[in-house]
């Protein structure tokens, strides 16, 4: 397995120069260092030949076999993830959790909230989102760890309007345990569009490094899978103690559950 690890930026920048040397020749490097163009990830006029980004993607696929990924969640049962894998979004599971957590509210209110999101139910079915940098989940997207899936959060937020009384989103903080799963996912599990986006980011990052012309390239790509991640691909999990809370001005959320029965 040759793992691509976005967080090891120094390493993958050095690797580019090796596995893509047939495309990114020393002559090309000298030209880029002299001209210092803006090395965008959505416009490769700065590189020759015209299809350099596609050629680079092929070299990337030849070199790496897997992508290091992180998935943030607030599972009710960490063990089920380790047994069944990280499953793509299931509206049935989310709906069951929603009905259980808000069982004390009128059924009509719950039905109405679910009806309002029927489009989302079908458009997100089976999808799974991963980030390539663990710290992103703690610093910028902490809501997945603090309150669970965006879908159930949206349902709870909708209830606040349908059945006034409390901020129902806060109830989601009383169930489950904030968890980051690490998985090493084979490249061919990702849709082509996702890998094209990633390899363009890598190539752009390399260009900015070589030219010293920094375009503010630092955010971790978010990739979408249209399939589950099997248990064998899960490399570990953690329960971060401190998480920045996007729903409260990025103040610090202290996680009271930093261990589960499956921690090693
Ligand atoms: Zn654990």
């Amino acid at each position: 397995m040759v793992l691509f690890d976005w967080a090891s930026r120094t390493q993958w920048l050095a690797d580019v120069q090796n596995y893509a040397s047939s495309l990114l020749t020393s002559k090309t490097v000298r030209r880029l260092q002299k001209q210092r163009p803006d090395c965008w990830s959505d416009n490769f006029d700065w590189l020759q030949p015209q299809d350099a980004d596609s050629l680079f993607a092929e070299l990337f696929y030849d070199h790496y076999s897997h992508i290091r990924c992180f998935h943030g969640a607030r599972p009710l049962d960490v063990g089920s993830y380790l047994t069944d894998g990280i499953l793509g979004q299931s509206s049935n599971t989310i709906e069951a959790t929603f009905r259980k957590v808000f069982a004390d509210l009128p059924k009509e209110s719950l039905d109405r909230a679910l009806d309002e999101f029927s489009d989302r139910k079908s458009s997100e079915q089976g999808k799974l989102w991963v980030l390539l940098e663990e710290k992103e989940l703690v610093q910028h997207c902490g809501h997945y760890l603090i309150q669970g899936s965006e879908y159930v959060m949206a349902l709870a937020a909708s209830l606040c309007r349908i059945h006034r009384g409390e901020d129902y989103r806060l109830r989601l903080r009383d169930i489950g345990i904030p968890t980051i799963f690490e998985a090493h996912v084979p490249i061919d599990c990702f849709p082509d569009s996702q890998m094209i986006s990633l390899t363009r980011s890598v190539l752009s990052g390399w260009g900015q490094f070589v030219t010293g012309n920094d375009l503010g390239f630092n955010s971790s790509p978010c990739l979408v899978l249209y399939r589950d991640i099997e248990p064998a691909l899960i490399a570990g999990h953690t329960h971060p103690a401190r998480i920045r809370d996007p729903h409260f001005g990025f103040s610090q959320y202290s996680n009271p559950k930093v261990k589960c029965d499956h921690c090693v």
Side-chain angles (χ1 to χ4, degrees), residues 237 239 260 262-263:
H237 77 271
H239 311 287
C260 80
H262 304 278
C263 282

Side-chain angles (χ1 to χ4, degrees), residues 1 30 42 50 103 134 161 168 170 215 219 228 255:
M1 177 172 72
R30 283 196 299 277
D42 58 353
Q50 208 168 20
E134 187 172 17
R161 181 172 38 77
Y168 296 108
L170 299 181
L215 302 174
S219 65
D228 304 336
N255 172 17

Side-chain angles (χ1 to χ4, degrees), residues 148-203:
S149 92
E150 212 158 64
Y151 187 12
V152 80
M153 271 187 270
L155 288 168
S158 176
L159 262 190
C160 297
R161 181 172 38 77
I162 293 169
H163 190 89
R164 290 175 193 275
E166 63 178 85
D167 186 344
Y168 296 108
R169 293 173 302 177
L170 299 181
R171 287 199 198 182
L172 302 174
R173 298 175 176 228
D174 295 330
I175 57 169
I177 176 167
T179 307
I180 296 176
F181 292 96
E182 176 179 344
H184 299 167
V185 182
I187 282 177
D188 57 14
C189 291
F190 290 93
D192 289 348
S193 62
Q194 300 296 293
M195 287 310 301
I196 288 168
S197 169
L198 174 60
T199 53
R200 284 178 173 171
S201 292
V202 170
L203 184 53

Side-chain angles (χ1 to χ4, degrees), residues 3-253:
L3 186 68
F4 175 78
D5 179 6
W6 176 269
S8 300
R9 182 176 167 81
T10 305
Q11 182 64 52
W12 63 250
L13 283 170
D15 289 344
V16 166
Q17 207 67 63
N18 292 324
Y19 67 78
S21 59
S22 59
L23 175 69
L24 308 172
T25 61
S26 49
K27 187 179 169 191
T28 298
V29 171
R30 283 196 299 277
R31 178 182 64 78
L32 290 173
Q33 287 173 332
K34 188 176 173 193
Q35 297 176 346
R36 302 190 73 226
D38 291 341
C39 297
W40 301 111
S41 62
D42 58 353
N43 178 343
F44 286 90
D45 285 350
W46 54 274
L47 200 58
Q48 293 299 322
Q50 208 168 20
D51 60 347
D53 56 326
S54 301
L55 296 171
F56 176 76
E58 291 303 322
L59 295 167
F60 183 97
Y61 304 151
D62 286 346
H63 181 71
Y64 294 106
S65 61
H66 292 66
I67 307 290
R68 188 182 189 205
C69 301
F70 297 92
H71 177 74
R74 195 178 175 104
L76 302 178
D77 175 15
V78 173
S80 71
Y81 279 64
L82 304 180
T83 306
D84 304 333
I86 306 170
L87 304 181
Q89 186 147 296
S90 157
S91 53
N92 287 345
T93 305
I94 288 174
E95 187 171 325
T97 302
F98 177 68
R99 288 194 183 279
K100 191 173 171 187
V101 173
F102 301 105
D104 57 312
L105 270 65
K107 181 176 177 300
E108 301 72 48
S109 299
L110 306 187
D111 289 343
R112 202 173 134 198
L114 287 163
D115 281 348
E116 287 183 1
F117 285 90
S118 55
D119 286 350
R120 187 166 185 165
K121 182 175 171 175
S122 52
S123 68
E124 295 185 356
Q125 184 73 16
K127 285 190 187 175
L128 176 57
W129 290 264
V130 294
L131 283 166
L132 302 194
E133 207 163 353
E134 187 172 17
K135 71 177 184 187
E136 197 75 14
L137 279 163
V138 175
Q139 294 179 354
H140 302 295
C141 313
H143 47 294
Y144 300 116
L145 304 169
I146 297 170
Q147 294 181 171
S149 92
E150 212 158 64
Y151 187 12
V152 80
M153 271 187 270
L155 288 168
S158 176
L159 262 190
C160 297
R161 181 172 38 77
I162 293 169
H163 190 89
R164 290 175 193 275
E166 63 178 85
D167 186 344
Y168 296 108
R169 293 173 302 177
L170 299 181
R171 287 199 198 182
L172 302 174
R173 298 175 176 228
D174 295 330
I175 57 169
I177 176 167
T179 307
I180 296 176
F181 292 96
E182 176 179 344
H184 299 167
V185 182
I187 282 177
D188 57 14
C189 291
F190 290 93
D192 289 348
S193 62
Q194 300 296 293
M195 287 310 301
I196 288 168
S197 169
L198 174 60
T199 53
R200 284 178 173 171
S201 292
V202 170
L203 184 53
S204 166
W206 174 82
Q208 292 175 62
F209 169 71
V210 165
T211 57
N213 182 6
D214 187 350
L215 302 174
F217 169 87
N218 50 22
S219 65
S220 165
C222 174
L223 302 182
V224 185
L225 290 153
Y226 293 83
R227 48 168 289 160
D228 304 336
I229 292 178
E230 297 95 332
L233 302 180
I234 298 177
H237 77 271
T238 55
H239 311 287
R242 290 179 172 72
I243 304 161
R244 293 181 75 214
D245 188 344
H247 290 170
F248 287 94
F250 288 96
S251 58
Q252 189 163 274
Y253 169 87

